[in-house]
Amino acid sequence: MERREFILKNVLPFHTGWTVLVIIPSMVLYGALYYFLFDFSVSLMTIFTLLYLGTCYLILKAISVKMTIWFDDNYLYLKKNNNRYVKYAKTDIIGFCSYDYETKTPQLRNSKIYFKFCMKNTQHIYLHDIEYRSRYDEEKGAELRRLLKETQKELQFTKIKTKNKFQNIYWYSDH
């Protein structure tokens, strides 16, 4: 039987709270530069704000990875970039959170990567997109829908409850 691999690009494999380590130092750097080099000017402040946002995006893009995901009978396999696969026992996964990629409602459709696998040992596996576009990407959305269905089938999980109703995030588990 041929395995079905899912390849996700520009993934942050950690909790999004850690992005503060990029955001705060960049803000301090550009704020200090602006304060010491220029008088108050709205046009210069706009330029510095755009430079700050661009710097944050480029740093996050540089630390993002290409994640390859696949399943066999007993394990979930994850590979960051060209590193070795790391395997996680399916029995250790108690549930996961994800967008509802299967929704047909245009306002709720989402093509941003968001998976959080919760393990028995309180370790979590995070897969977050660095993109924050609100425009729906048909191809990426279809691939994420296939990944969600495959993950549900392999782990034998069903959609249990709304985790965050404002973002269409659900908890998937077997109980």
Side-chain angles (χ1 to χ4, degrees):
M1 184 173 134
E2 187 177 317
R3 71 179 186 208
R4 170 82 168 112
E5 287 187 347
F6 295 91
I7 299 173
L8 306 174
K9 296 178 181 170
N10 296 323
V11 176
L12 295 175
F14 47 81
H15 190 279
T16 54
W18 287 103
T19 59
V20 168
L21 296 176
V22 171
I23 294 168
I24 300 297
S26 297
M27 186 183 296
V28 169
L29 172 70
Y30 281 104
L33 280 174
Y34 180 80
Y35 179 77
F36 290 116
L37 297 178
F38 303 105
D39 290 328
F40 180 78
S41 167
V42 174
S43 60
L44 283 175
M45 188 179 297
T46 304
I47 291 170
F48 268 74
T49 301
L50 292 173
L51 286 172
Y52 159 71
L53 293 172
T55 301
C56 289
Y57 177 77
L58 290 174
I59 292 171
L60 290 174
K61 185 132 174 118
I63 62 175
S64 69
V65 297
K66 178 177 84 171
M67 189 69 70
T68 305
I69 304 166
W70 68 278
F71 295 92
D72 70 6
D73 293 336
N74 300 311
Y75 295 99
L76 159 68
Y77 294 88
L78 297 174
K79 180 170 82 166
K80 295 177 188 174
N81 293 327
N82 294 322
N83 296 334
R84 300 185 116 168
Y85 279 103
V86 178
K87 65 182 182 179
Y88 300 92
K90 289 180 182 179
T91 56
D92 288 345
I93 302 172
I94 59 174
F96 69 94
C97 294
S98 174
Y99 287 123
D100 179 11
Y101 297 111
E102 297 177 303
T103 188
K104 302 289 185 215
T105 309
Q107 295 86 354
L108 297 177
R109 292 176 75 190
N110 204 326
S111 60
K112 292 181 276 190
I113 302 166
Y114 180 86
F115 284 92
K116 175 185 170 187
F117 293 93
C118 299
M119 312 296 276
K120 285 182 181 175
N121 63 2
T122 68
Q123 171 191 10
H124 300 305
I125 301 168
Y126 296 96
L127 305 174
H128 297 284
D129 209 328
I130 66 163
E131 299 292 331
Y132 288 98
R133 293 179 289 140
S134 59
R135 205 171 98 231
Y136 184 73
D137 181 341
E138 291 287 339
E139 186 177 320
K140 188 175 176 183
E143 184 69 7
L144 289 169
R145 187 173 6 337
R146 284 190 292 275
L147 174 58
L148 177 62
K149 286 180 181 180
E150 181 76 13
T151 304
Q152 284 181 280
K153 183 182 91 177
E154 289 288 338
L155 299 174
Q156 299 174 357
F157 288 170
T158 56
K159 187 188 312 182
I160 302 294
K161 64 179 179 178
T162 305
K163 190 76 170 164
N164 183 333
K165 64 182 175 185
F166 298 113
Q167 294 183 339
N168 197 30
I169 295 174
Y170 286 87
W171 172 252
Y172 297 82
S173 183
D174 60 354
H175 55 283

